[in-house]
Amino acid sequence: MDAGPDAFLARVPWATDLCRRLGLGDELVSPARGRAFVWSRGRLRPLPEDLVLGVPTALWPLARSGIVPIPGLVRAGLDLVLPADAPGGDEAIGSLVTRRLGRTVSERLVDPLLGGIYAGDADRLSASMAAPQLVAVARRHRSLILGLRAHRREHPPDPTQPVFHTLPAGLGRLVDRLAAAVEGVDLRLGTRVEAVASDGPGCRLTLDGQAPLGADAVVLATPAHVSSRLLAGAAPAAAGGLAGIEHASVVLVTLAIDAGALPGPLDGSGYLVPRGEGLLHTACSWASSKWAHLAEPGRVLLRVSAGRLGDDRPLRLDEDELLDRLLGELRLVMGLSGEPSAVRVNRWVDAFPQYPPGHLDRVAGIEARVREAIPGVELAGAAYRGIGVPACIRQGEEAAARVLARLEPAPAR
Ligand SMILES: Cc1cc2nc3c(=O)[nH]c(=O)nc-3n(C[C@H](O)[C@H](O)[C@H](O)COP(=O)(O)OP(=O)(O)OC[C@H]3O[C@@H](n4cnc5c(N)ncnc54)[C@H](O)[C@@H]3O)c2cc1C
């Protein structure tokens, strides 16, 4: 079972295309069940089906779901009559949704759904990065609900197209296949780069335990906090900008449990926990009902996430205490009884870069400082222009294309 990302968006092309180019197209699968829930007001409640990026496009399905209490529903309805109030410029997604539909919708739907992708906080997450479609609708229409409804009519979702793909052998297969496919390349896996410096028109890499390496260009696809250290000598201003990109940490606990330990079969892909519910875990993916390849009679597999921006409690707990707390919460939410038959704990420290309002401008500034100080270096990865696996693949391809465009006229070194 994957210990990190376990799926990627299928509605953007880059990851699916790369799988196909590597001959993995036939192995791609989609979730068996899509129905997701929210733990809200003491119960697991199904997410309304008409949500667009966490925002409801009608009030009745939201009322029926019970996720939002009546005062919150009334406040959400005000969106239909409130005057236009778009502030212009980049704002937090939490602020956009709050000013139109109120705090409760933002806290109980948008923060867990959109903020959750970043292990972040909707009040500190750039709307134009996390939900550009929502921003476009909010600028064109006075009411977000009516605007999203119109957007849906113009761009109806295609129910035959999957939202997510994965590889049953694990997403590591994509990396392994890619590594095997790059023939004629001096590929040094497991080699740590310690510094990147300018060297004439190119660069010089200091490696851990190996001779330094000259390069015409470098695509720096390490996490931003690592890239910051690598560039500290050659591009201190850029390194400072990179160090300023905040990251959140998450603990992912994978559990195998006996199906008899649950009150009934799990019909759905899992649930999210809004911040205000006061639980340690933020989400639980019902992996063995979400993915057919993980289903086995009598056994249930769960992926429980804990920790997010501003909440490092799970990271500080030792394994026994963490497990104790999480099992207690699963008893409350899912009616779990007994103990798991297998447990795996993965701590993802500083793994989720944050995109506060103004993030793209900040990234453009960092890139300009890198270009100025050490022109052979390109940046790519989750900290810059998209956090998901497809967006990281796109950024890697774009960085490689920029390098090639720059090097093509010159002879190889
Ligand atoms: C638990 C978890 C679940 C997630 N779930 C999903 C999901 O379901 N779908 C989705 O699309 N996204 C998901 N994400 C987000 C996504 O996986 C990441 O944002 C993305 O993989 C980051 O890719 P990257 O190439 O920027 O960085 P990374 O994948 O972190 O790659 C950085 C690389 O740099 C290497 N490195 C570090 N230091 C050095 C050094 N000094 N020298 C040389 N190499 C170095 C590392 O070994 C690593 O290989 C998830 C993330 C986590 C942590």
Side-chain angles (χ1 to χ4, degrees):
M1 266 184 91
D2 276 309
D6 69 341
F8 54 78
L9 263 183
R11 286 187 176 159
V12 290
W14 306 286
T16 305
D17 282 358
L18 182 59
C19 286
R20 293 204 174 115
R21 262 156 43 216
L22 291 169
L24 297 172
D26 291 344
E27 295 181 26
L28 290 172
V29 295
S30 314
R33 285 184 184 82
R35 206 157 83 114
F37 296 78
V38 173
W39 171 253
S40 184
R41 305 164 65 223
R43 268 177 51 193
L44 279 181
R45 302 173 187 270
L47 279 170
E49 276 174 14
D50 66 326
L51 297 182
V52 176
L53 295 161
V55 178
T57 55
L59 292 172
W60 173 236
L62 180 63
R64 219 177 24 208
S65 76
I67 294 170
V68 171
I70 288 168
L73 282 172
V74 173
R75 173 60 188 87
L78 287 183
D79 169 67
L80 300 170
V81 295
L82 281 173
D85 56 358
D90 195 9
E91 68 178 318
I93 186 71
S95 121
L96 189 163
V97 174
T98 299
R99 67 181 165 72
R100 292 309 314 176
L101 291 101
R103 194 80 205 135
T104 319
V105 169
S106 176
E107 283 175 355
R108 290 189 180 262
L109 286 171
V110 175
D111 186 53
L113 270 164
L114 283 185
I117 294 171
Y118 298 80
D121 176 346
D123 289 334
R124 292 163 66 187
L125 182 58
S126 156
S128 58
M129 288 303 290
Q133 308 91 311
L134 220 57
V135 175
V137 168
R139 286 192 181 144
R140 266 182 52 207
H141 300 264
R142 181 186 54 79
S143 154
L144 202 52
I145 294 179
L146 297 178
L148 286 173
R149 240 183 255 171
H151 179 79
R152 265 227 160 155
R153 271 196 307 274
E154 288 160 28
H155 311 93
D158 180 351
T160 63
Q161 290 304 310
V163 179
F164 292 105
H165 275 144
T166 199
L167 294 164
L171 282 186
R173 181 154 168 76
L174 172 57
V175 182
D176 293 342
R177 183 59 80 93
L178 184 59
V182 284
E183 279 171 8
V185 170
D186 176 6
L187 190 62
R188 303 196 194 173
L189 298 176
T191 304
R192 194 166 64 229
V193 181
E194 293 188 326
V196 180
S198 204
D199 184 16
C203 306
R204 174 163 290 265
L205 305 179
T206 308
L207 305 180
D208 179 30
Q210 293 184 23
L213 198 63
D216 296 306
V218 172
V219 174
L220 211 48
T222 41
H225 39 88
V226 175
S227 302
S228 165
R229 284 203 301 276
L230 300 185
L231 291 175
L242 289 165
I245 298 177
E246 198 175 7
H247 286 68
S249 304
V250 160
V251 182
L252 188 86
V253 178
T254 308
L255 300 171
I257 54 176
D258 197 85
L262 289 172
L266 298 175
D267 181 13
S269 58
Y271 64 88
L272 302 161
V273 183
R275 196 179 284 267
E277 291 292 337
L279 299 186
L280 198 62
H281 74 301
T282 55
C284 176
S285 167
W286 298 341
S288 50
S289 68
K290 179 174 175 185
W291 302 108
H293 61 272
L294 295 178
E296 204 175 89
R299 185 201 63 183
V300 171
L301 297 173
L302 304 175
R303 278 175 35 121
V304 185
S305 309
R308 57 181 137 203
L309 189 67
D311 182 9
D312 279 344
R313 286 174 302 162
L315 217 61
R316 291 198 301 269
L317 295 176
D318 69 31
E319 201 162 313
D320 287 345
E321 208 178 333
L322 177 71
L323 210 57
D324 224 43
R325 293 277 300 273
L326 292 180
L327 290 175
E329 293 186 0
L330 295 182
R331 266 175 225 123
L332 169 75
V333 176
M334 295 175 60
L336 176 75
S337 57
E339 296 294 315
S341 57
V343 176
R344 185 178 65 190
V345 177
N346 295 96
R347 292 173 195 264
W348 291 94
V349 180
D350 289 337
F352 289 85
Q354 301 296 307
Y355 295 175
H359 175 77
L360 263 192
D361 290 343
R362 214 160 299 143
V363 167
I366 293 170
E367 287 166 340
R369 275 174 261 155
V370 170
R371 258 194 313 274
E372 218 170 89
I374 181 163
V377 171
E378 297 286 345
L379 300 175
Y384 311 112
R385 296 169 190 276
I387 197 175
V389 168
C392 291
I393 291 171
R394 169 178 56 76
Q395 293 175 75
E397 290 176 345
E398 287 171 356
R402 286 196 298 275
V403 165
L404 289 178
R406 194 153 38 79
L407 295 183
E408 248 155 26
R413 261 157 62 106

